[in-house]
Amino acid sequence: VPVVIASDLTYETRNVEPILALVKTVLLPGGVCFLTDQDRTPAPVLRQRLGELGFKYDREMVRAGEPGGDRVKGTLYRIRVV
């Protein structure tokens, strides 16, 4: 597929490998995976494994929620297969 959208999946370290395996399997060359994470404990493992598996990625701090209401901080990853 040309685009994968994934949100709030890396809440446990054990989820990192299956998620990245799926992305590597289904993402077409030139495609992009948009993955959001709330910067939980597995975030450093995610970044390490992205590099080890040869993914190219960038990240951006984002906030979500209602204006004037509760806001959630996290990271948006743009992941590409190299």
Side-chain angles (χ1 to χ4, degrees):
V1 297
V3 177
V4 173
I5 299 172
S7 178
D8 200 24
L9 299 175
T10 54
Y11 49 88
E12 291 186 4
T13 302
R14 67 182 177 160
N15 294 352
V16 170
E17 291 297 328
I19 292 164
L20 295 182
L22 177 68
V23 170
K24 195 164 192 109
T25 300
V26 303
L27 193 62
L28 290 171
V32 63
C33 171
F34 297 100
L35 182 142
T36 61
D37 174 60
Q38 290 185 18
D39 301 326
R40 293 185 177 104
T41 304
V45 174
L46 172 65
R47 290 190 296 274
Q48 178 183 347
R49 292 301 292 149
L50 283 167
E52 291 172 353
L53 294 171
F55 287 100
K56 179 180 177 185
Y57 72 96
D58 59 69
R59 57 191 176 135
E60 172 184 349
M61 196 273 288
V62 293
R63 294 188 184 273
E66 297 182 31
D70 290 337
R71 308 280 291 180
V72 177
K73 180 181 80 69
T75 300
L76 169 63
Y77 292 85
R78 291 176 193 86
I79 303 167
R80 293 174 177 80
V81 178
V82 178

